[in-house]
Amino acid sequence: MQLSLLLCLLPSTALGALIRPVAGGSSWRAITRRRSDCPVLVTSGAKETLVRELRYSFVPSTAAQDAIAELAATPAAVPSDALLPCIGRFRLLAHQILAAKLKEARAPLETVKLVVSPEGALIVELDLFVGGAVVGLRLKGMISATDKARQLKLSLQSAEWFEPNEEFGVSRQIGLAREKFDGTLARLPYETTLNLSFSEDDLCIMRDDVAPESSIVLQRIQGSKEADAAMAAAMARAAAGKRGSVAFDDKGQYLGES
């Protein structure tokens, strides 16, 4: 969903197994943007190929699949604490099962962004194209490391619909989306296990135990580490009775603090 923010988390992963077509049809908020408008980080080698191939599609091409396999085979690509590389703000680049299910339900995926806090609190925002307009679906839950290396437990606990861009009224489209998905969302909470196969500072690749054939690729949003650190510092100053501010441009890009 725009997640410039949402927990581009993957976590929308689990939603791929959760969503099925139904008969008859904040401070965390991100800026609504078409997928093709999202900035792409400059990477190299297999990472560069993967990001390039996934810029316009959530379904990996053959070249993207080869890049995923190459990165997954990288030695020592995952830290001992599997949660660490998932903390921050991300954009979902690939999840073929999720994309296929939403397309089947005539609600194709536009963007997905996600945020994971240091404590593992998760917010995932999906932008869905329904009835000629983009509507937002926000999922909240938790993600945590298990006692197994490279493994994460994902729990989606609640969902709510929202207007990604408040200057446009999409209440009719939200009604259509609710007809399609509220029956499925009523099954929450939902839990699954994720296996982290590759992680570097700007990219994470994992697989969902429910759909191991579907790769989940997350890209860290540019400037998010600096922005998160600055926000924490600003909150600490505020708690101490001092003034400070954190600045972002009109695209949600972190500019700095004062």
Side-chain angles (χ1 to χ4, degrees):
M1 235 167 253
Q2 341 34 318
L3 354 150
S4 287
L5 171 150
L6 220 211
L7 319 129
C8 246
L9 182 224
L10 17 172
S12 30
T13 13
L15 193 63
L18 187 64
I19 286 185
R20 296 290 185 279
V22 175
S26 103
S27 56
W28 294 86
R29 180 166 298 177
I31 299 170
T32 303
R33 308 173 64 189
R34 295 284 180 172
R35 180 177 178 83
S36 59
D37 293 332
C38 291
V40 175
L41 296 179
V42 177
T43 57
S44 60
K47 288 170 60 179
E48 180 179 29
T49 298
L50 181 59
V51 172
R52 182 181 65 246
E53 290 292 316
L54 295 176
R55 185 171 186 184
Y56 299 104
S57 175
F58 290 98
V59 179
S61 63
T62 299
Q65 291 175 356
D66 290 344
I68 288 172
E70 180 179 339
L71 292 171
T74 303
V78 179
S80 56
D81 185 343
L83 179 62
L84 287 177
C86 300
I87 294 172
R89 290 180 287 171
F90 295 84
R91 178 181 299 107
L92 179 70
L93 296 186
H95 193 320
Q96 52 263 56
I97 299 299
L98 174 63
K101 292 297 181 183
L102 289 170
K103 183 177 181 180
E104 180 184 348
R106 297 188 177 182
L109 198 57
E110 289 281 303
T111 59
V112 179
K113 294 194 173 91
L114 58 91
V115 176
V116 179
S117 76
E119 296 74 32
L122 169 69
I123 297 179
V124 179
E125 292 187 349
L126 301 90
D127 283 348
L128 309 178
F129 193 71
V130 179
V134 175
V135 302
L137 174 60
R138 182 180 295 113
L139 301 171
K140 295 182 180 181
M142 294 292 297
I143 185 168
S144 59
T146 71
D147 56 0
K148 295 183 179 180
R150 301 189 174 203
Q151 190 176 83
L152 294 163
K153 178 182 178 181
L154 170 68
S155 173
L156 297 177
Q157 300 164 353
S158 64
E160 62 180 336
W161 297 96
F162 69 95
E163 295 187 13
N165 194 327
E166 294 180 348
E167 65 180 293
F168 301 111
V170 293
S171 57
R172 183 181 71 84
Q173 287 82 1
I174 288 179
L176 293 174
R178 296 192 66 165
E179 289 179 10
K180 293 175 181 288
F181 300 118
D182 274 6
T184 296
L185 295 172
R187 303 174 196 168
L188 294 174
Y190 173 85
E191 294 186 354
T192 190
T193 301
L194 305 173
N195 293 287
L196 195 60
S197 56
F198 174 84
S199 70
E200 276 194 359
D201 189 55
D202 59 345
L203 199 69
C204 289
I205 301 174
M206 60 193 73
R207 294 183 184 275
D208 187 338
D209 273 359
V210 173
E213 72 282 5
S214 181
S215 295
I216 300 162
V217 181
L218 301 176
Q219 183 185 43
R220 189 177 299 277
I221 293 175
Q222 290 176 284
S224 63
K225 275 192 169 182
E226 294 84 353
D228 291 342
M231 185 64 73
M235 292 178 68
R237 287 197 299 270
K242 300 178 181 179
R243 288 187 171 185
S245 63
V246 178
F248 297 83
D249 65 16
D250 59 359
K251 295 183 178 180
Q253 181 68 39
Y254 172 65
L255 297 176
E257 62 174 316
S258 61

